[in-house]
Amino acid sequence: MKPDLIIARYGEVALKSNRVRRRFESRLVNNIKASIDADVKVNQARIYIFPKDFDDAIEKLERIFGIVSYSPAISTKTSFEDIEEAVSNYADKLYDEGILTEETKFAISCRRVGKHEFSSQEMAAFAGAVVIRKYSCPVDLNNPELTIYVEIREGDTYIYHEKIEGPGGLPLGTQGKVVSLVSSGIDSPVATYLMMKRGCQVVALYCDNHPFTTPDALKNFEDLVDQLNLYASGAPIKKRVVKYGDYLAHCKSEAPEKMTCVLCKSGMYKLAGKLAKKMHAEAVIDGSSLGQVASQTLPNILATREDLDVPVLSPLIGLDKLEITRIAEKIGTFEISKRDDGGCKAVPRYPETNANLELVKSVKEEINQEEELEKAFKTIVH
């Protein structure tokens, strides 16, 4: 007996007002359909998916934000006769697959929506008796090795035993658009992923520091965005690349050497802010983790963001490198990020870690930062 549908569940979407919840549900359905060839319907906090290819659907649902869990299921009509037959056939399937044996401690979990002529406990006992008659396996309601779920809703009953964990979060595209500063490193792709999980559609901006970096860094960026796009069903990430090497060379030649990283990061934020306005995005995302590198001390964070007119969100700000790396490994970006791309040759030997805000403002005026960034902005390509 093969499953004939997949039941997906959402989490915090259910806590929204009716109007907002309907909008989020609609977006989630659209995102599912963008990734999976399936008929999809929503009813009472459940999403019913009827895919053309079950294996493909099972794999892709693991990467669709907003889904907390999902279960391959069989359906039947809500009558004692139909449920008895369906539970019996389902138990046979589990027995054939070695999931259910005569020694397996099992339980039936029954959940009803609506009014019925029986209680949940009565139906659970009825379904459990069907399994016991066939295979004589012991019941253990406190610590079962196998739980068979019987979910009864509006004339139809669904039976399943798996609850596969989804990524959770909010449906992609429900929280507006952001510009994410994505490099070839470990942190920024993880920051981008976390904001996608919170429902943000992403424009990924890469600052190409050539000749201070190699073409390998740009290739890594391309591959990282491609990997993140596996999670972007319904709202693919848009790539933008800016030629940043001339601005960086100008900073190195016209400003104090130790301020190179501060001026570099400041310029990146400003370019991202300009792009955000052009593309009607509402925030800039970066991969800053407090104190991790020279540009991420509190004084330097202040100095690099002090004159921005769009908010900068740093979802990794309180995470350490191990925590960030674990997420990168989970989402498939770590192996790409750890490739040797040569690093950035513009980093000074002794970078500034305690930038003086007034001095930074003064230096930015002296090097005509706005004018130089305007030149760079004109080089942005898709």
Side-chain angles (χ1 to χ4, degrees), residues 355-363:
N356 179 283
L357 182 56
E358 294 306 315
L359 177 59
V360 173
K361 290 180 180 180
S362 174
V363 170

Side-chain angles (χ1 to χ4, degrees), residues 17 35 62-63 81 87 117 155 162 164 226 232 275 285 373:
S17 67
S35 180
E62 189 179 15
R63 299 192 294 263
E81 294 79 9
V87 169
E117 60 184 14
E162 291 182 281
I164 304 170
D226 289 345
L275 184 60
I285 309 303
L373 290 175

Side-chain angles (χ1 to χ4, degrees), residues 42-144:
V42 180
N43 186 27
Q44 296 175 315
R46 291 289 189 270
I47 301 170
Y48 299 94
I49 305 166
F50 301 87
K52 304 296 189 295
D53 185 330
F54 264 84
D55 291 338
D56 179 68
I58 292 297
E59 178 185 352
K60 289 180 176 176
L61 285 170
E62 189 179 15
R63 299 192 294 263
I64 296 179
F65 295 117
I67 294 176
V68 172
S69 66
Y70 53 100
S71 303
I74 64 168
S75 60
T76 189
K77 295 299 180 183
T78 301
S79 70
F80 281 96
E81 294 79 9
D82 289 316
I83 293 174
E84 180 178 10
E85 180 180 2
V87 169
S88 177
N89 291 337
Y90 198 80
D92 289 341
K93 168 183 176 290
L94 296 179
Y95 189 83
D96 291 341
E97 294 176 357
I99 298 171
L100 175 68
T101 70
E102 287 83 354
E103 289 77 34
T104 302
K105 298 176 182 178
F106 86 103
I108 300 288
S109 175
C110 181
R111 184 172 185 269
R112 299 174 308 139
V113 174
K115 293 182 179 180
H116 301 276
E117 60 184 14
F118 49 81
S119 67
S120 296
Q121 292 80 2
E122 288 170 340
M123 180 53 70
F126 174 77
V130 173
V131 178
I132 293 170
R133 280 198 302 270
K134 297 205 76 169
Y135 297 110
S136 302
C137 23
V139 174
D140 188 337
L141 301 181
N142 296 318
N143 190 29

Side-chain angles (χ1 to χ4, degrees), residues 182-185 189 206-210 213-228 239-241 332-333 335-343:
V182 179
S183 69
S184 63
Y206 176 74
C207 295
D208 186 357
N209 290 347
H210 179 79
T213 54
T214 69
D216 291 337
L218 176 58
K219 175 64 166 59
N220 286 359
F221 161 77
E222 297 279 356
D223 291 348
L224 285 166
V225 174
D226 289 345
Q227 179 64 26
L228 289 171
K239 299 176 185 177
R240 297 293 185 271
V241 177
T333 58
E335 291 299 323
I336 303 170
S337 294
K338 76 173 186 178
R339 297 174 189 164
D340 183 9
D341 60 18

Side-chain angles (χ1 to χ4, degrees), residues 178-210:
V178 297
V179 172
S180 185
L181 285 163
V182 179
S183 69
S184 63
I186 295 173
D187 299 344
S188 56
V190 173
T192 303
Y193 168 86
L194 291 178
M195 295 310 298
M196 292 167 64
K197 185 175 180 179
R198 297 310 303 160
C200 292
Q201 183 176 357
V202 171
V203 178
L205 175 62
Y206 176 74
C207 295
D208 186 357
N209 290 347
H210 179 79

